[in-house]
Amino acid sequence: MLIHVKTGSDEMMVENTGDSKTTEATSNRPSERKSLWEGSSQFRHWRFSKRTLVEQRTQMNESAVNAIKITFETDEPGSSEGIQFLNAQEEHYLVTHYVSKITQLCQHFRFNEEVEATAMTYLKRFYLKNTVMDWHPMN
């Protein structure tokens, strides 16, 4: 049985099943609107927690190392045993180093802050989906 309850400016429909423990309420108030930022694809697709970033970098690194090992082993079995590959943290240090180079380059050519910020963002995003072992930042 639905009961219409109005208290001040709030209206609610309450479902009463006869048992006082299982009464549910739903509000007729319009849901709060998301900000323009929260509704953007930028917010949905490019906002990560630190833990998620580490996991994503680690996953990309592991898949790159495996692909490189397979390539070496296909050409010459046992050839990948002596190679020391970069880990995810070392890759992140390299990307961070090249992000700082963007700042230096933009200052040298007197680009505005928007150009610098865009370049930094694109570089960081690129290396969330790619690895420096496949695409070196200097290239």
Side-chain angles (χ1 to χ4, degrees):
M1 170 186 352
L2 285 177
I3 302 170
H4 185 255
V5 178
K6 185 173 184 178
T7 57
S9 63
D10 291 339
E11 291 185 39
M12 301 180 104
M13 295 299 288
V14 178
E15 183 176 349
N16 188 350
T17 59
D19 182 4
S20 62
K21 293 179 183 175
T22 60
T23 302
E24 296 179 18
T26 57
S27 175
N28 284 339
R29 271 186 296 179
S31 63
E32 291 184 29
R33 288 186 169 204
K34 292 182 180 179
S35 70
L36 191 56
W37 161 247
E38 290 172 334
S40 70
S41 61
Q42 168 88 11
F43 180 85
R44 287 191 311 271
H45 300 294
W46 293 106
R47 188 167 176 254
F48 304 103
S49 67
K50 288 183 180 185
R51 183 178 55 98
T52 305
L53 287 171
V54 169
E55 289 171 359
Q56 195 163 353
R57 288 182 187 121
T58 302
Q59 180 184 6
M60 286 302 305
N61 177 268
E62 290 171 358
S63 64
V65 167
N66 290 335
I68 294 168
K69 281 183 179 181
I70 289 170
T71 302
F72 273 97
E73 295 297 322
T74 301
D75 291 342
E76 187 179 329
S79 62
S80 68
E81 291 177 17
I83 298 175
Q84 190 173 19
F85 294 96
L86 294 174
N87 62 35
Q89 187 176 16
E90 291 168 334
E91 284 192 84
H92 181 61
Y93 288 148
L94 253 176
V95 171
T96 302
H97 171 73
Y98 281 98
V99 165
S100 71
K101 293 295 181 188
I102 290 173
T103 301
Q104 293 173 1
L105 190 64
C106 288
Q107 287 173 351
H108 177 76
F109 289 108
R110 297 182 183 166
F111 293 140
N112 62 28
E113 291 177 354
E114 289 83 7
V115 171
E116 181 181 347
T118 302
M120 293 170 124
T121 300
Y122 284 154
L123 186 72
K124 289 177 183 180
R125 286 181 181 179
F126 181 81
Y127 285 110
L128 280 178
K129 304 291 183 188
N130 297 284
T131 175
V132 297
M133 290 185 281
D134 290 331
W135 301 95
H136 194 283
M138 207 165 138
N139 294 338

